[in-house]
Amino acid sequence: MANPSQFGFQDASSPIMEELVEFHDHALMVALAICSLVLYLLALMLMEKLSSNTVDAQEVELIWTILPAIVLILLALPSLQILYMMDELDEPDLTLKAIGHQWYWTYEYTDFKDLSFDSYMIPTTELLPGHFRLLEVDHRLVIPMESPIRIIVTADDVLHSWAVPTLGVKTDAIPGRLNQTSFITTRPGIFYGQCSEICGANHSYMPIVVESTPLTHFENWSSTLSS
């Protein structure tokens, strides 16, 4: 959950999000080094008198041609690694289906015989103490922690987007098409997200709440709903 005036990312709750945060910090350090070097050279050129050595220097031209290529490689390699990790899908322990509607979500637990429900935002007038406005739902998506989860995302009417920032997940929900992604929660907790695709007048009123629980709690919850 983001805090007021928060400057950075939310605390990562999945291995993919941890990798994304590390890559973000890595890219910022590279950008900081480049900006520092450019500012130093600009200040040096403004304060120092130009000489013939700086007008025609093939060694310097060679360096500022090769150096950017090395920097791009240092950025491209970890970026490609994370992209492949996000697309990698091993044998999941649980498969879910999220269907976007105007303006609520439907969740189906495909590994269970009859376990599905709609998830609506709780109106402001019905919020309990400690609940978050525009983020709480009447039925949370409950998943077991430390288990590979596959979620299949689609839509029933218009474009939607199933996004939970702390899990590093954002998948478009397109009518007539199935998109899939996977994630693993590394700790128990309640993680909030929202539809990230403008889908109509009440676009900001279809939040996503994922509740990560130990496996025993998840089994008790699923057996209660299935019975």
Side-chain angles (χ1 to χ4, degrees):
M1 181 66 189
N3 299 318
S5 303
Q6 180 174 334
F7 187 74
F9 291 104
Q10 300 180 26
D11 294 336
S13 300
S14 69
I16 291 297
M17 190 58 190
E18 292 176 359
E19 294 290 337
L20 290 172
V21 172
E22 290 181 2
F23 176 71
H24 170 267
D25 297 340
H26 168 69
L28 280 186
M29 292 305 297
V30 172
L32 178 61
I34 294 174
C35 292
S36 301
L37 178 61
V38 171
L39 288 175
Y40 170 76
L41 293 177
L42 286 175
L44 189 64
M45 294 178 64
L46 291 174
M47 293 184 296
E48 297 291 336
K49 188 176 181 180
L50 295 178
S51 62
S52 58
N53 294 330
T54 59
V55 174
D56 185 15
Q58 295 184 358
E59 293 82 4
V60 176
E61 293 179 359
L62 183 63
I63 291 174
W64 73 40
T65 301
I66 296 178
L67 192 60
I70 296 176
V71 171
L72 291 177
I73 292 174
L74 293 176
L75 291 175
L77 291 179
S79 176
L80 291 174
Q81 181 183 9
I82 295 175
L83 284 176
Y84 279 103
M85 289 175 60
M86 295 176 69
D87 287 337
E88 185 177 356
L89 186 62
D90 296 328
E91 297 182 0
D93 292 343
L94 181 66
T95 299
L96 308 172
K97 186 177 181 181
I99 306 173
H101 308 273
Q102 289 182 316
W103 288 269
Y104 64 96
W105 293 96
T106 297
Y107 297 111
E108 299 177 0
Y109 290 74
T110 59
D111 296 321
F112 295 83
K113 184 177 180 180
D114 186 17
L115 182 53
S116 63
F117 52 84
D118 297 331
S119 180
Y120 289 87
M121 185 195 75
I122 299 178
T124 305
T125 55
E126 301 177 10
L127 289 177
L128 298 176
H131 281 183
F132 298 101
R133 178 178 173 269
L134 301 182
L135 288 178
E136 294 292 346
V137 296
D138 54 357
H139 293 93
R140 295 171 175 172
L141 179 66
V142 181
I143 60 173
M145 61 175 289
E146 297 180 343
S147 300
I149 307 296
R150 173 175 61 185
I151 183 164
I152 300 173
V153 183
T154 186
D156 184 54
D157 36 42
V158 298
L159 292 177
H160 300 279
S161 183
W162 199 86
V164 183
T166 188
L167 298 178
V169 176
K170 183 180 183 297
T171 304
D172 289 339
I174 304 173
R177 178 174 177 176
L178 298 178
N179 291 331
Q180 70 174 6
T181 186
S182 62
F183 59 89
I184 301 175
T185 57
T186 55
R187 58 186 174 89
I190 300 174
F191 314 122
Y192 294 90
Q194 289 179 303
C195 176
S196 296
E197 189 76 43
I198 297 178
C199 55
N202 293 333
H203 157 67
S204 57
Y205 301 119
M206 50 183 307
I208 301 163
V209 182
V210 179
E211 183 175 351
S212 175
T213 64
L215 181 59
T216 54
H217 293 181
F218 173 78
E219 291 175 345
N220 295 333
W221 173 85
S222 60
S223 60
T224 301
L225 288 186
S226 300
S227 58

